[in-house]
């Protein structure tokens, strides 16, 4: 399966056009699931796994891959399905949030080329207790796109608090009239960003995807006029989102004279090397790999030119 993964350059060009490639796979049924190819290092038959001392939960074991120790997560069990109980299976080795991990799945199918505009948010009828960031119709098949951020948050505690060292260096009470827009299709990731920015004293509004964010910014700018940038100076956006991705959002902001002065941070679990070139291409101000609250906080303060306490 490794050979089917596209080159970095090819996938970079797709991302810049609001497109992506998605690997389709299955768990304990015929339901199709998808994961962004750019997050994938390789796809392999499940190797021999070592038990995790005191382990359990959703981590099936540890594999030793190319000199690295990689936790293998039972993806079906993680999202409330039956644990994998077959022989073999496949491991999708991924890089998220500065970590490498593998997802154990029943079968892998194929890679499809999609437009983010074709991907819809999960139906509201699902409520909050689900593990999807989007769905897409492919021929006669409905593909569910997994909310990996939520799975990680349930496996390992992620600290969202900004350290006292960072907050003590600025006067956080000065920011209570400044709003930052946080954009992410994962409710878990949105709340992580929201809590970190609120630690600095900022007000935070949220949007689920790039199009919702753009429409919200346009409405706010129309309402506030000349006061817009003073009150809403920054957007912190995920990259991969249904409807409109973060690259396209950044590019659209720069195209519109009334919004072009916004500071734009692209903040994503995608930590591939291509991000720096894409930041320049869409004229965003910074790329930050998820999730380090201090790093995010320091970059926000830097871009907004907040003076440090003397």
């Amino acid at each position: 399966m490794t050979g089917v993964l596209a080159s970095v350059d090819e996938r970079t060009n797709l991302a810049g056009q609001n497109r992506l490639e998605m690997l389709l796979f299955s768990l304990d049924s015929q339901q199709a699931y998808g994961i962004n190819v750019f997050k994938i290092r390789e796809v392999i038959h499940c190797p021999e796994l070592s038990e995790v001392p005191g382990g359990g939960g959703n981590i099936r074991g540890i594999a030793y891959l190319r000199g690295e120790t990689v936790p293998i997560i039972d993806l079906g069990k993680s999202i409330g399905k039956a644990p994998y109980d077959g022989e073999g299976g496949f491991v999708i080795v991924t890089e998220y949030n500065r970590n490498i991990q593998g997802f154990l799945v029943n079968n892998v199918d194929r890679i499809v080329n999609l437009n983010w505009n074709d991907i819809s948010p999960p139906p509201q009828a699902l409520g909050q207790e689900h593990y999807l960031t989007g769905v897409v119709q492919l021929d006669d098949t409905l593909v569910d796109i997994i909310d990996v951020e939520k799975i990680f948050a349930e496996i390992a505690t992620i600290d969202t608090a900004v350290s006292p060292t960072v907050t003590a260096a600025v006067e956080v009470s000065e920011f209570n009239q400044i709003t930052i827009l946080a954009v992410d299709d994962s409710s878990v990731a949105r709340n992580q960003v929201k809590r970190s920015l609120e630690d600095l004293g900022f007000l935070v509004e949220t949007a689920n995807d790039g199009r919702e964010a753009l429409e919200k910014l346009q409405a706010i700018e129309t309402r506030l006029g000349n006061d817009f940038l003073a009150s809403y100076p920054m957007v912190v956006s995920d990259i991969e989102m249904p409807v409109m991705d973060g690259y396209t959002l950044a590019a659209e902001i720069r195209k519109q004279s009334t919004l072009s002065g916004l500071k734009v941070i692209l903040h994503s679990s995608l930590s591939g090397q291509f991000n720096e070139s894409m930041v320049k291409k869409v004229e965003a101000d910074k790329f930050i790999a998820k999730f380090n609250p201090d790093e995010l906080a320091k970059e926000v303060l830097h871009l907004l030119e907040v003076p440090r306490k003397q």
Side-chain angles (χ1 to χ4, degrees), residues 167-210:
T167 56
V170 294
E171 190 60 66
V172 297
S173 62
E174 295 180 1
F175 309 143
N176 59 12
Q177 299 300 313
I178 297 176
T179 302
I180 295 176
L181 181 62
V183 191
D184 205 300
D185 59 331
S186 168
S187 60
V188 169
R190 283 198 306 275
N191 287 329
Q192 288 171 347
V193 174
K194 187 173 188 290
R195 285 191 290 267
S196 296
L197 296 179
E198 287 177 341
D199 280 353
L200 295 174
F202 292 107
L203 301 174
V204 182
E205 292 190 8
T206 62
N208 297 340
D209 59 68

Side-chain angles (χ1 to χ4, degrees), residues 6 8 28 66 97 113 174 176-177 185 210 213 234 269:
V8 171
D28 62 344
R66 307 186 192 285
N97 293 10
N113 189 314
E174 295 180 1
N176 59 12
Q177 299 300 313
D185 59 331
M234 177 175 287
S269 58

Side-chain angles (χ1 to χ4, degrees), residues 12-31:
T12 299
N13 291 333
L14 285 173
Q17 300 169 22
N18 203 40
R19 300 187 66 85
L20 76 156
E21 287 182 323
M22 184 173 294
L23 175 67
L24 304 184
F25 62 91
S26 61
L27 298 172
D28 62 344
S29 69
Q30 295 304 308
Q31 172 62 47

Side-chain angles (χ1 to χ4, degrees), residues 1-6 11 14 19-27 31-45 75 89-96 101-116 119 133-134 136 138 141-148 240 270:
M1 282 297 298
T2 303
V4 303
L5 301 183
R11 281 176 273 157
L14 285 173
R19 300 187 66 85
L20 76 156
E21 287 182 323
M22 184 173 294
L23 175 67
L24 304 184
F25 62 91
S26 61
L27 298 172
Q31 172 62 47
Y33 296 92
I35 185 172
N36 191 335
V37 166
F38 205 88
K39 296 185 177 185
I40 301 172
R41 282 194 161 196
E42 59 183 328
V43 180
I44 59 175
H45 288 282
L75 187 54
F90 289 87
V91 171
I92 304 173
V93 183
T94 65
E95 184 173 356
Y96 281 91
Q101 52 282 307
F103 292 112
L104 177 62
V105 303
N106 287 47
N107 291 291
V108 291
D109 184 5
R110 67 190 191 279
I111 287 174
V112 293
N113 189 314
L114 299 171
N115 191 309
W116 277 113
I119 299 174
T133 60
V136 62
L138 293 177
T141 302
L142 187 66
V143 178
D144 290 343
I145 303 171
I146 301 293
D147 186 349
V148 179
E240 53 165 5
L270 293 173

Side-chain angles (χ1 to χ4, degrees), residues 100 255 287:
I100 299 170
K255 287 179 184 177
F287 167 79

